[in-house]
Amino acid sequence: MSEKEEEQISKDYSADNIQVLEGLEAVRKRPAMYIGDINFKGLHHLVYEVVDNSIDEALAGHCNQIEVCILPDNSVSVLDNGRGIPVDFHEKEQRSALEVVMTVLHAGGKFDKGSYKVSGGLHGVGVSCVNALSIHLQVEVFRNGKHYMQEYSIGKPLYPVKEIGTSDYRGTKVTFKPDNSIFLVTEYSFDTLSDRLRELSYLNKGIRLTLSDQRERDIITGEYRVEEFYSERGLADFIDYLDESREKLMPDPIQIEGERNGVPVEVALQYNTSFVENIHTYVNNINTHEGGTHLAGFRRALTRTLKNYAEKSGMLSKLKFDISGDDFREGLTGIISIKVAEPQFEGQTKTKLGNTEVMGAVDTMVGETLNNYLEEHPREARIIVNKVILAATARHAARKARELVQRKNILGGSGLPGKLSDCSSRDPETTEIYLVEGDSAGGTAKQGRDRNFQAILPLRGKILNVEKAMPHKIFENEEIKTMFTALGISIGTIEDPKALNLEKLRYHKVIIMTDADVDGSHIATLILTFFFRYMKEMIERGYVYIATPPLYLVKKGNKAEYAWTEEQRELISLQLAGNAKDKGVHVQRYKGLGEMNAEQLWETTMDPKRRTLRQVSIDNDSTADRVFSMLMGDEVPPRRDFIERNAHYAKIDA
Ligand code: 0RA
C-alpha cells in the first residue's frame, strides 16, 4: 500500500475507529485474557474461533459445509457456504458491516437480532480477536452474485471492502496468519485440529467439515492429507467412536433429544464392561470440563430413574448395602450437549455451567426418556441393573481397602514410604519428584540428583493397568499406594469417593522417567493412564511431565556429545568426524537409563539447565479418553505414538 493510501485511511478514522483500535490494542496487549494463552492452545483457539462463526451460521440453518485448510506457511483458511457476512454500508459506524464484524470486539451477531448466537469459542471473543492477533488476515464474502474482499494487518484494515469480481458461490472465507511476535509456537497440529472438527461434527449432525493440510504431500500418492467429518446420528456416533475398543452392553446407545423450558437438550449413553465413568458435557459446543448444572441434572435423573426401575423389578432384594450415585455411572459413556442463550460459566477454568434453569430441564428430559426406554427394553434394563449391582459390590470392597490404607498411613510415623528418597526443601512450588522405572535406575537417579529439591521414587515391576482393573484393586496396589503417600495427596471422601485433595501435594513437578524403549514407553503410559483416570487435576494444573533421556552418545577421542534424535546423531557424527567421514567416531545407543552413570543422567536428563521436560497436557478430553482406552484396553493397541499426541514439548528453564 502506498503512503498516500495509508494517509487516506488514517484520515477516515472517526471516533469509532479510534475505539476500535483501542479494543484491538487491548487484545494484543493481553492476548491470554482473550484466547487463554499464547502457546499451542491459544494458537489453535484462533481456528476454533473462526470455525465457530461458521457453525453458528449452520445452526441458524444456512450452512452445511465448512472447509478448513492449513496452508504451506501455517496460515489457516476457513470457508463456509453460509449467507456470507453482510457487506452493506453501516450508517452508524460509517463503514461496511463486514469491516465492523472483523474489527469490533463482540460485534459478531450484531446484525442478526432474530437468531441468538449459541456457538462461540470458550472465550466467545469473535473473529475480530483473531484479526487483532494476525499479522495478516483476508476475508472474502460471496454474496449477491459478487465476490468481496478486505485485508487487515494486526486487525487494521489495509483498504475499504472492495468488490473483486462475480461469483455463483455463496459464503464466507477467512484466511489468517497468526502473528509470530505474539505466539510462542506457530506450527499447527493436524491431529489437534482434526480432533476438534470431528467433535464438532458429532455435536452438530448434518454438517460436513473437512480439514486439509497443504504443508506436505504424501510421498507415494503426492496428495495432501485430507480428512472429512460428517455424522448422521450425532451423539450416538460420538459414543460409538469413543467406545471403539470397549465391550458394549447394549446394541445401540440410548438417545435422548428434545427441549424443556426452552433449553435444547441432547444426550446419548451406553454402558460397557469397563469400570470407567466417561461422561463429557458440552454447552454451546464448548466442553464444560468442570461440569455444572447440566451434569447435575443428568446424574439426578439417571440415579432416580434407574433406582426406581431396579427396586420395582425386585432385582435389589439380595443386596445387603446401599447403592450410591457412583454405582450408576461405572462403565458408563455419556455425552450431554445443551444449548443456552446466555451461559454463565463458573469455576477455576470457567468451564462449569452455572445456569440453574438448566438442571431441571435436563433432569426432566432425561428422566422421562430413560424411563420409557427401560419400560420398552426389559433386556437392556436388566443388563444395566446387573452392572450397577456389580459396581456397588466392588465399591463396598474398595471402601474397606481404602480405610485400611488410611489407617496404616496414620500409624506409620511420617507416613512417607521407605522407598522414597526425599529432597530437603519443603516448598512444593520448587520441588520435584522423579518417578523412576526400576530400582537400579532409581539408584543412579538418587546419586545424580540435586537433593535440595529433587526427590526420587523408584517404581518396581508392572504398574497396575487401571483401565482394566476393578476400582478397589487400585487401593490395594502397592505401587499406587506408595505414589499417593509420596505425593502427599489423598483420594476419596464419604460424599465423593473420587474427590482428589491436592492441598497437601508435596511437589508441583511430577516427572515420569522411564527407559527410551518400547517397555519404558509402556510403563510411562500405564503411569499416565493412572494420572488421567484418578488424578486428572494434576495434569490440568500442568504438574505432570515426562523426562527425555538421550538416545545416543557420540564419541571421538575424548570428545563426546549426546543426541536425542537421528538427525542430531548424524549432525554430531559429521561435526566430530570433521572432513574424514565417520573416522574414529563411535556411537553408543542407550537402551535404558541403567546404561548411564549418575553424572551422565544428571547432565542429560535431570539438570534443569540442560534437560528437556515434556509437559503433559490434554488437548481434547474425549480424544484423550479414547486414546487411553485403546492403548490400555483389550484390543491390540494401535501403534501410534501417544506421547507425541498428548505431550507437547516444553523446555523448562531452571
Ligand atoms: C451476521 C449476519 C448474517 C450473516 C453472518 C453474520 C455470518 C457471519 C459469518 C462468519 C463466518 N461465516 C459467516 N456467515 C454469516 C446474515 C444476514 C443476512 O443475510 O440476512
Side-chain angles (χ1 to χ4, degrees), residues 50 53-54 57 80 82-86 101 108-109 111-112 143 172 174:
V50 178
N53 288 297
S54 304
E57 188 66 0
D80 69 49
R83 289 167 295 179
I85 302 177
V101 169
F111 309 101
D112 209 13
R143 209 181 144 100
T172 305
V174 174

